[in-house]
Amino acid sequence: MTKGPVLILGARSDIALAAAHRFAKAGHPVQLAARDSAALQSDAADIRLRFGVAASVQEYDALGDVAAFVDALPVLPEIAICAVGLMGTQAENQTDHARAVTVLRSNFEGPALVLAELANRFATRGSGTLVGVSSVAGLRGRASNYVYGAAKAGFTAFLSGLRNRLAEQGVHVVTVLPGFVDTKMTEGMDLPPRLTAQPDEVAEAIFRAIGKRRDVIYVKPIWRVIMTVIRAIPEPVFKKMKI
Ligand SMILES: NC(=O)c1ccc[n+]([C@@H]2O[C@H](COP(=O)([O-])OP(=O)(O)OC[C@H]3O[C@@H](n4cnc5c(N)ncnc54)[C@H](OP(=O)(O)O)[C@@H]3O)[C@@H](O)[C@H]2O)c1
């Protein structure tokens, strides 16, 4: 059976590329969309060679004209995975207005609006899967990363609303909460190995979530426990904690 095309948004991310490989391995053609997409030509060639599927490259800026981007796709994908994101540093995000705007837009507005465009087209077609890579940082604001976290909270809520709206229209929406992942974004950070996933673990979790029609996934199950505890801490106590 022919497998549907998978659009990977923010395809230069380590998580995104791992997802492209996982879906290509399963026989799906992939569309790699990113800024500076020319740099992805060798990745596309590698995917074609390794997995024997079609792999194309599209220029894509999450903060640009996303409707025009979707209109220009050579074929409407069956699955779209958005891995766009920008963390920055909290110190910079809370003092530099322009930087905060970019972080908020890159994690919320950009990812939400491109998935919204795809959602409308998928709904008209009556099929498709949208995957948003969000973050546990969006489940409770913390002093150490609340600008990034707030944008992810917005994205998580948006995905929830899309899922609710599209549930009866043949369109499935998956929210991915990876916990820590060993990627360029976290380079140089001292991450606890037990709580840190590799990009290919995230890719596998996404692949399985689609097969099992899961709605919200934690890549490492321990993060569900951690976040349940963190969310249960009363605000008067939480505001004095430094976590
Ligand atoms: N690493 C973690 O611990 C972790 C944990 C939870 C969630 N996440 C999320 O996982 C996703 C992937 O992150 P990653 O860890 O793989 O880090 P990453 O390598 O920094 O990936 C983020 C990607 O977003 C792309 N991007 C940012 N702004 C964009 C824009 N305006 N237009 C198009 N692309 C844009 C970047 O493109 P360029 O290459 O052009 O800069 C980059 O490839 C992100 O949403 C991130 O927030 C990561």
Side-chain angles (χ1 to χ4, degrees):
M1 198 179 110
T2 319
K3 303 280 178 79
V6 181
L7 171 65
I8 313 274
L9 298 153
R12 291 173 64 208
S13 119
D14 296 331
I15 292 172
L17 258 187
H21 280 221
R22 183 63 188 88
F23 282 87
K25 188 178 164 195
H28 293 266
V30 292
Q31 302 168 332
L32 307 177
R35 299 185 287 203
D36 193 10
S37 60
L40 279 169
Q41 290 293 0
S42 58
D43 295 288
D46 178 55
I47 288 173
R48 287 193 287 270
L49 197 68
R50 268 207 235 192
F51 305 111
V53 297
S56 62
V57 165
Q58 329 289 329
E59 186 64 25
Y60 159 67
D61 182 347
L63 305 184
D65 184 344
V66 291
F69 163 75
V70 173
D71 283 338
L73 286 172
V75 54
L76 189 64
E78 193 56 41
I79 298 170
I81 301 171
C82 184
V84 170
L86 174 68
M87 186 156 63
T89 65
Q90 175 61 28
E92 201 180 16
N93 295 346
Q94 70 190 28
T95 50
D96 180 336
H97 180 87
R99 184 66 178 173
V101 168
T102 305
V103 168
L104 292 168
R105 295 188 67 210
S106 306
N107 291 291
F108 178 34
E109 180 188 311
L113 294 183
V114 74
L115 293 187
E117 283 295 331
L118 289 159
N120 292 342
R121 288 158 174 81
F122 285 11
T124 302
R125 184 178 61 191
S127 73
T129 302
L130 298 166
V131 180
V133 182
S134 192
S135 173
V136 296
L139 299 179
R140 191 157 193 184
R142 292 179 295 125
S144 59
N145 71 348
Y146 65 84
V147 177
Y148 170 78
K152 289 296 194 189
F155 187 44
T156 297
F158 191 90
L159 292 168
S160 171
L162 266 188
R163 180 163 43 246
N164 194 220
R165 173 190 143 200
L166 299 171
E168 306 299 322
Q169 295 178 61
V171 182
H172 181 211
V173 178
V174 183
T175 305
V176 183
L177 303 173
F180 299 137
V181 190
D182 185 10
T183 67
K184 288 192 284 293
M185 187 177 271
T186 53
E187 211 167 359
M189 291 184 183
D190 189 17
L191 302 177
R194 278 196 63 223
L195 303 184
T196 306
Q198 294 303 314
D200 57 354
E201 284 179 78
V202 184
E204 187 62 32
I206 292 172
F207 185 80
R208 288 190 186 178
I210 293 176
K212 292 182 177 168
R213 308 279 296 173
R214 301 271 309 275
D215 296 323
V216 180
I217 58 160
Y218 288 81
V219 173
K220 283 198 175 290
I222 188 152
W223 276 104
R224 185 184 293 278
V225 179
I226 293 170
M227 294 316 299
T228 301
V229 172
I230 287 181
R231 286 206 282 183
I233 299 169
E235 197 63 23
V237 177
F238 192 71
K239 73 180 180 188
K240 294 180 186 151
M241 294 172 70
K242 292 282 165 276
I243 53 171

